[in-house]
Amino acid sequence: LGTDNTDLTFGMTSTIDLSAATGTNVINTVGSAAGTVTTITLASEGGGDTIQVDDDNASIVIKNFQTGSGGDVLDLDDSGMGVLVEGAGGVPASTGREIEELSAAETLDADDDLLVLVGEVYATTDLVETALEKNGTRAIALGGDLSANEDLAVLWSDGSNSYLGVLNVTTAVDISSDAAVASNATLTTIAELTGVDVSVSGTFTAANFDLYA
């Protein structure tokens, strides 16, 4: 692969080695078949690459993902991520997108498009769910009402690798009575960032994700 954008689309178990690639490459995993595993090795230096993802139940493993300004980008398919909302229940937009680092329990607002859990690591998705639900160490209260089965984008770490997922808020939220997420929320993992630890504050930034419909 050279300096031109490269758009790779596939629907089966795949291994993509871009370790020697230069320039900016776009890897489209949207629509990958459920149950398949796609392993993508990016170049460790050079131009920033973009990986497009959705929640189609495929397993996406990304190696050499570079965080921070000028790094790589996770491009979330807004229309393929369940019913994705921001912290106040509205539809997130690519323009002005923001992350919200959670180091304690917090009330969210409309600027919170992607939640990044910092200061704590989690060995399982069950532990992430518990942390985000009512009375958890990173319990979230919504800034607006949510209908049942709306979704929030979440990024967390196990101390070695990091994971992008969607938290399905199974029970509707009426902030006039209780803005917290009930204890039956379910978290689905979408992608793994091998060797990245987002639990360290400032590691993953708004420059490292995007949204498209």
Side-chain angles (χ1 to χ4, degrees):
L1 299 178
T3 56
D4 293 331
N5 287 5
T6 302
D7 192 343
L8 304 175
T9 306
F10 43 89
M12 61 186 70
T13 294
S14 306
T15 299
I16 300 172
D17 186 356
L18 301 179
S19 57
T22 58
T24 300
N25 301 287
V26 178
I27 304 94
N28 181 6
T29 71
V30 173
S32 297
T36 61
V37 179
T38 299
T39 301
I40 302 167
T41 303
L42 303 175
S44 58
E45 297 179 359
D49 297 317
T50 296
I51 303 91
Q52 297 174 337
V53 297
D54 64 3
D55 66 349
D56 53 19
N57 295 315
S59 179
I60 311 298
V61 178
I62 305 167
K63 300 180 179 181
N64 292 339
F65 188 93
Q66 304 295 302
T67 60
S69 178
D72 300 315
V73 177
L74 287 175
D75 202 358
L76 282 57
D77 179 6
D78 196 1
S79 62
M81 301 277 288
V83 184
L84 195 64
V85 297
E86 32 82 338
V91 177
S94 178
T95 55
R97 65 194 181 280
E98 295 187 24
I99 66 167
E100 181 67 13
E101 290 190 341
L102 299 181
S103 58
E106 183 176 323
T107 297
L108 305 181
D109 59 33
D111 292 331
D112 301 337
D113 300 311
L114 173 63
L115 309 181
V116 182
L117 278 59
V118 300
E120 192 169 71
V121 298
Y122 309 90
T124 67
T125 54
D126 286 348
L127 292 173
V128 182
E129 290 170 359
T130 300
L132 291 169
E133 292 167 346
K134 189 173 184 176
N135 299 320
T137 59
R138 302 293 185 272
I140 50 176
L142 280 302
D145 294 344
L146 262 65
S147 299
N149 293 311
E150 292 189 317
D151 301 279
L152 297 163
V154 183
L155 195 63
W156 71 95
S157 172
D158 63 12
S160 299
N161 307 311
S162 295
Y163 305 88
L164 171 70
V166 286
L167 182 75
N168 182 260
V169 182
T170 309
T171 300
V173 174
D174 180 351
I175 64 171
S176 67
S177 56
D178 190 350
V181 172
S183 60
N184 59 352
T186 58
L187 183 65
T188 300
T189 302
I190 295 172
E192 173 187 317
L193 306 180
T194 303
V196 175
D197 182 8
V198 300
S199 71
V200 178
S201 178
T203 296
F204 194 93
T205 73
N208 297 129
F209 89 103
D210 204 351
L211 297 157
Y212 75 100

